[in-house]
Structure formats: C-alpha cells, structure tokens
Amino acid sequence: MKRTAFFISDGTGITAEALGNSLLAQFADIVFERITLPYIDSIEKAHEVVTAVREAHIKDGTKPILIDTIVDENIRQLISQSEAIKIDIFSTFIKPLESELGIKSRYSVGQSHGIVESQRYKNRIESVNFALDNDDGMRTRHYDEADIILVGVSRCGKTPTCLYMALQFGVRAANYPLTEDDLESNGLPSCLKPYQNKLYGLTIDPFQLAAIRHERRANSRYASLTQCETEVVFGEQLFKSLKIPFINTTTFSIEEISTRIMADRGLKRRIN
Amino acid sequence: MKRTAFFISDGTGITAEALGNSLLAQFADIVFERITLPYIDSIEKAHEVVTAVREAHIKDGTKPILIDTIVDENIRQLISQSEAIKIDIFSTFIKPLESELGIKSRYSVGQSHGIVESQRYKNRIESVNFALDNDDGMRTRHYDEADIILVGVSRCGKTPTCLYMALQFGVRAANYPLTEDDLESNGLPSCLKPYQNKLYGLTIDPFQLAAIRHERRANSRYASLTQCETEVVFGEQLFKSLKIPFINTTTFSIEEISTRIMADRGLKRRIN
C-alpha cells in the first residue's frame, strides 16, 4: 500500500514537514512518498499543486494526503479543492485562536524580520561560529562562554549535536574529545576541571563506534573493536565517577540527544 | 498584554515548537513567553505540567496557550484538564486520518529507530561531516559528491547554510569563498568550473557584511565598508555573467535561504 503525502507551505515548509512527519510516523504500515512544496505563494503555483496532487492520485490509485500551512485564504481555498485527505493547519487552529484571544491574526506569510527576528538570527549564527571555533577541543579558552560542553570519545556524535543545538536553539555548545592521553592520565583533563557543571557526556555502543570509525579509517587500530571498547569503558567510568550526566547516543536521533541534554541541564532555547 | 505559551510533547518538542511558533507569529501584538516542556511521558510529569500551567495563569492573569503533541491518551487527557487555550494536535488530526486511511495508528511516542530510521540518521551525520570537510574551500576534490556548492564572499552565511541543509535535509553541501585572488583573476576559480550546474551564489548587503566582519576583526581592512562593497559587487557580477543563481541573505533566515536554494535547484530531502 503506497500513498503520496504532500507538505505544502507558502514559506519554508519546515512546519508542515515536522507536523506531517510526526503524524505519518503513527502509520508505520503505509509506505508514504513525501513531497514538500515550499513557497506556494501565488495562484499560479497553487494550480500547479492541484495538478501534482491529481497526478499522484491517479498514479498511486489512493487519495494523497495534503498537509498545509498556507496562510493566504485564496491560495488555501484553491488547494483545498484537491481530492485528498486534507490537514489544513491554519484553518483548523487560527480561527479558534482568534476568537479565544479576541484579536485578528495578521494572516501574513512566514516570519517577519523585525528587530527581534534579526537578534535571533544573529544569535544562531554566533552559536554556529561558537560551535565551530570550539569543536573537538581545538580551543578551550572560551569555555566560560559555553552553555554546555560535550565530552566523549572520537566519533560518538559530539559535533553534529553541538551544531544542531546551535542552529535549532541558539545554544553555545563546545565539545572536547576524550583521547588516549586522557585515558592514560585516568582523570578529567585539567582544562575541563573548572567547568564540571557544564559537562555532559556522550557514549555509544562500541560495535557501532567501530563501524563508524571504519568508514573514516578502515582497518586502523583507531577503528578496532578492542580500541573502541577500551575507550568507551574508560569514558563511562569517568562520567560515573565524577557524576557527569551522560547519554548513550546509539539509538537516538540528533534531535533527541540535543533536547534530552537541554532538558537535563535546564538549558533554555535562546531563539524564542 | 502578556501570555504564556506552552509547547508540550512526549518527545523532543520540536514539532510542537515549529507549529506553535508559526501560529503565534500570526499574533504579533501579543508578547508570548514560550516554554517548551519535552519528554512529558509519565502521569507524574503530566501533573507537573498542569501545575506549571496553573501558575502561569495566575501570574499572567491571562489563560495560557497549550500546544501539545502528546500521543498517549491518558497523559493527554490529564493535561487537557488545564484551564488553557488548547491546541491538541494529535486528537485533532489522528482520528480523522485513521478513519480516512481505514487503519489504526500505532499511538507510539516519537520516532522508531528501525532500519529506515538509522539509514536517515547515518545520512545526516555523513552530510554534516561532508559539510565540515568541504567548508570554506578547504578541500575541492570531493565536489563530485556534492549536491550543491555555495559560493560567496567571506561571512555571507555559507557555512551555517551548508550545515543546516546537512542536518535538516541530509543534503551534501560544500562551500567555496570568493577571495581577493578570485577578484583579481576576474573569473570563476578553476576548481569550480567543472561544477557550474551545482553552484549557487550567496550575496549580502555590504553594510551588514561590514558589521559582521567588524565583530570578527574590528577595524581591519577586511571589515571596511569599501572592501565589503568591492567584494560584494564583484561576486554579484560574477554570478550574473555566468548565470549562477544567487540569493541575497540579508533579510532571510537560515531556513529560508536553505529551502529557497533547494527549491530553486530541485534538491530533494534525503531524509524522508
């Protein structure tokens, strides 16, 4: 059983995708082909959507699902003429919100770039720069400014997690790799000692770690299972002995790792 | 007029935030305090939410808004007893979807980490590594594997855009900085010539560029308005003369820049 799901927006389409994907995840037995159509901001483009929906209907032999966050009423109405299972986010929620709040919505597309917005934007860019500048223990002198410092062995997911926290939440995240030197000295690296309340450990299943490392440096000592096991065990012992909270990244998505760390450490989104 | 908006989820909270923020953006006159409460996955935590909502109600003197993506029915019902303006995404959309699709949803929390999911995850991580390895023209020998190569002057937004495309969409994005050398040779750098159909230009308002560069290197020639203007004009002329599509990043968010580039170049999400 196959079905096409359209995520349609007059903006980026990211909200429609996020909501759409989380709804579709509830129907695991169906194979969905997902098509995102962003920037549908004219009657002409709306007509193209209607055509695409009709073609998918004919091709699949099943009614497509249409999840849209279109704000403009004319465009929305045109699209809603499609024969489809429709999830119309704005008409569902904006009207009740308007009557509850007692004011009209602006019915405008996307985000404005007022002063608040540009502050948020700047903050995210600065957070990305912070993550890049303070990646992989390259620099340790800016840890005063960090919101969080991730610690873990090479290739356990530190960098993507830091970058995600920066881009999505404007959080200043640094990361420091636990290396063989730390393993031999058998304690917390001295540059981390003043920041123990900002540390968060990442660990990973040694088999998965070995597989990841093999892709970078095939058949190296670095990628061997023995080496991976030794490092992972050392890391976890360090976290436990110093009561550093940690998370096993093996079965979590980057979103989950990031939001769990933030919840655990009480970190606030800086972009709201 | 102030009001608290709660984004509540038994998972990461990212969907509730995305939808919530896009709905609240329609009511620009109201100052919202936004509070995300992720991983509300027990009755105990649900009770804490009810308490937090009640306290916000008393403090603000206005009914809070409660936007939730809770899947579990017991937890959702408990939370829905709060006195609040409620936007309950699952009960609104899942039931109609079930009856239209003719099957029951799994009513499970978050994403599964089956084989498909772990493929997506791996792809995103590899895309992040690709963006980092091919950032800022550091390496040019992997451009064959790139989905897109962003070109533009230093600090116009190339790196955050590449990282966002990698994390959000699993797209392989490289970037190459236009420097003074390119300006003098007055043409496309030779390493880019074979990849003209993958190029996408970024440009920016020279005043904003100067401001951004000043924060990095205050009062340098690099940050001077004259220098910024010269580089920006050169870049835009290059894009126009070679018919390289380009976008002015000055007033766009990273999401907008990324999704517009992808729409323009017909790039598909690799994580759906």
Side-chain angles (χ1 to χ4, degrees):
Chain A
M1 188 167 165
K2 197 207 141 210
R3 207 178 271 272
T4 304
F6 289 92
F7 305 145
I8 299 166
S9 169
D10 39 18
T12 66
I14 291 167
T15 302
E17 280 176 344
L19 178 62
N21 281 322
S22 78
L23 289 173
L24 299 187
Q26 299 303 314
F27 299 95
D29 298 337
I30 306 178
V31 178
F32 293 104
E33 186 182 347
R34 292 151 215 242
I35 297 176
T36 305
L37 302 174
Y39 303 110
I40 304 302
D41 49 13
S42 68
I43 293 294
E44 197 192 337
K45 288 185 187 170
H47 279 294
E48 290 171 17
V49 171
V50 173
T51 306
V53 172
R54 191 170 48 232
E55 281 169 2
H57 192 168
I58 293 167
K59 199 179 121 216
D60 299 341
T62 50
K63 252 199 263 182
I65 297 175
L66 208 152
I67 295 169
D68 89 87
T69 57
I70 302 269
V71 177
D72 182 275
E73 208 148 352
N74 294 322
I75 296 175
R76 205 167 60 212
Q77 270 179 10
L78 208 162
I79 286 175
S80 77
Q81 290 166 12
S82 303
E83 203 182 322
I85 302 170
K86 281 161 250 177
I87 295 193
D88 179 342
I89 297 169
F90 266 85
S91 73
T92 307
F93 292 132
I94 279 287
K95 290 271 178 225
L97 262 179
E98 281 182 339
S99 71
E100 282 273 12
L101 295 171
I103 53 171
K104 282 271 166 204
S105 69
R106 351 179 248 163
Y107 267 69
S108 68
V109 178
Q111 292 157 302
S112 73
H113 266 267
I115 294 163
V116 178
E117 200 54 46
S118 89
Q119 259 312 105
R120 283 180 206 166
Y121 180 77
K122 221 179 117 188
N123 185 46
R124 292 170 76 189
I125 301 285
E126 280 169 9
S127 298
V128 169
N129 291 337
F130 185 88
L132 293 173
D133 289 345
N134 298 281
D135 185 41
D136 209 33
M138 275 194 305
R139 281 189 201 80
T140 61
R141 64 176 187 272
H142 299 301
Y143 285 176
D144 273 337
E145 298 155 44
D147 295 318
I148 189 106
I149 304 165
L150 301 188
V151 186
V153 303
S154 169
R155 296 285 142 189
C156 67
K158 299 184 297 298
T159 302
T161 306
C162 285
L163 289 170
Y164 188 82
M165 286 198 278
L167 276 166
Q168 186 76 17
F169 302 120
V171 161
R172 303 278 195 282
N175 77 80
Y176 189 92
L178 292 178
T179 63
E180 283 210 280
D181 294 346
D182 304 317
L183 201 148
E184 277 156 23
S185 75
N186 206 16
L188 198 63
S190 60
C191 61
L192 297 179
K193 281 184 183 151
Y195 304 102
Q196 221 163 306
N197 62 339
K198 291 185 183 185
L199 301 183
Y200 207 100
L202 297 191
T203 190
I204 186 172
D205 173 70
F207 286 90
Q208 185 162 323
L209 182 61
I212 294 168
R213 288 185 174 185
H214 264 295
E215 285 186 25
R216 280 258 141 174
R217 279 190 241 158
N219 304 314
S220 61
R221 179 168 162 275
Y222 167 79
S224 72
L225 186 58
T226 321
Q227 179 68 18
C228 291
E229 276 174 335
T230 311
E231 291 185 27
V232 166
V233 168
F234 160 69
E236 292 184 7
Q237 279 173 349
L238 189 71
F239 302 150
K240 283 174 192 160
S241 70
L242 296 171
K243 297 197 171 60
I244 296 169
F246 68 99
I247 184 170
N248 188 320
T249 63
T250 313
T251 57
F252 289 126
S253 69
I254 304 170
E255 284 85 348
E256 286 169 315
I257 300 166
S258 303
T259 52
R260 282 176 190 274
I261 291 171
M262 288 175 60
D264 235 23
R265 276 296 193 200
L267 290 180
K268 293 252 182 287
R269 281 94 174 116
R270 283 204 190 186
I271 55 167
N272 278 340
Chain B
M1 188 167 166
K2 196 207 141 210
R3 208 178 269 272
T4 305
F6 289 92
F7 306 145
I8 299 167
S9 169
D10 39 19
T12 65
I14 291 168
T15 303
E17 279 175 346
L19 178 61
N21 281 323
S22 79
L23 289 173
L24 299 187
Q26 298 304 315
F27 298 95
D29 298 337
I30 306 178
V31 179
F32 293 104
E33 185 181 347
R34 292 151 214 242
I35 297 176
T36 304
L37 302 174
Y39 302 109
I40 305 302
D41 48 14
S42 68
I43 294 293
E44 198 191 339
K45 288 185 187 169
H47 278 295
E48 289 171 18
V49 171
V50 173
T51 306
V53 172
R54 190 170 50 232
E55 280 169 4
H57 191 168
I58 293 167
K59 199 178 121 218
D60 299 341
T62 51
K63 251 200 265 182
I65 297 176
L66 207 152
I67 294 169
D68 89 87
T69 57
I70 302 269
V71 176
D72 182 277
E73 207 149 354
N74 294 322
I75 297 175
R76 205 168 60 213
Q77 270 178 10
L78 208 161
I79 287 175
S80 78
Q81 290 166 12
S82 303
E83 204 182 321
I85 302 169
K86 280 162 251 176
I87 295 193
D88 179 341
I89 297 168
F90 265 84
S91 73
T92 306
F93 291 132
I94 279 286
K95 290 271 179 227
L97 263 180
E98 282 182 339
S99 70
E100 282 272 12
L101 295 172
I103 53 172
K104 282 270 165 205
S105 69
R106 355 179 245 160
Y107 267 68
S108 68
V109 179
Q111 292 157 301
S112 72
H113 264 269
I115 294 164
V116 178
E117 200 52 48
S118 87
Q119 258 313 104
R120 283 181 206 166
Y121 179 77
K122 221 180 117 188
N123 186 47
R124 293 169 77 188
I125 300 285
E126 280 170 9
S127 298
V128 170
N129 291 337
F130 186 88
L132 292 172
D133 289 346
N134 298 281
D135 185 41
D136 210 30
M138 274 195 305
R139 280 189 202 83
T140 60
R141 64 177 187 273
H142 299 302
Y143 285 177
D144 273 337
E145 299 155 44
D147 295 318
I148 190 108
I149 305 165
L150 301 187
V151 186
V153 303
S154 169
R155 296 284 142 190
C156 66
K158 298 185 298 299
T159 301
T161 306
C162 284
L163 290 169
Y164 188 83
M165 287 198 277
L167 278 166
Q168 185 76 17
F169 302 118
V171 161
R172 304 275 195 284
N175 76 81
Y176 188 91
L178 293 178
T179 64
E180 283 210 279
D181 293 347
D182 305 314
L183 201 148
E184 278 156 24
S185 73
N186 205 17
L188 198 62
S190 60
C191 61
L192 296 179
K193 280 183 185 152
Y195 305 102
Q196 221 163 308
N197 62 338
K198 292 185 181 184
L199 301 183
Y200 207 99
L202 297 191
T203 190
I204 185 171
D205 173 70
F207 285 89
Q208 185 162 323
L209 182 61
I212 294 168
R213 288 184 173 184
H214 265 294
E215 283 185 27
R216 281 256 141 174
R217 280 191 241 158
N219 304 315
S220 60
R221 179 168 162 275
Y222 166 79
S224 72
L225 185 57
T226 320
Q227 179 67 18
C228 291
E229 275 174 336
T230 311
E231 291 185 27
V232 165
V233 168
F234 160 69
E236 292 184 7
Q237 279 173 348
L238 190 70
F239 301 149
K240 283 174 193 161
S241 69
L242 297 170
K243 297 197 170 61
I244 296 168
F246 67 99
I247 184 169
N248 188 320
T249 63
T250 313
T251 58
F252 289 127
S253 69
I254 303 170
E255 283 85 349
E256 286 169 314
I257 300 166
S258 303
T259 52
R260 282 176 190 274
I261 291 171
M262 288 174 60
D264 235 22
R265 276 296 194 198
L267 290 180
K268 294 252 181 288
R269 281 91 174 119
R270 283 205 191 185
I271 55 167
N272 277 338

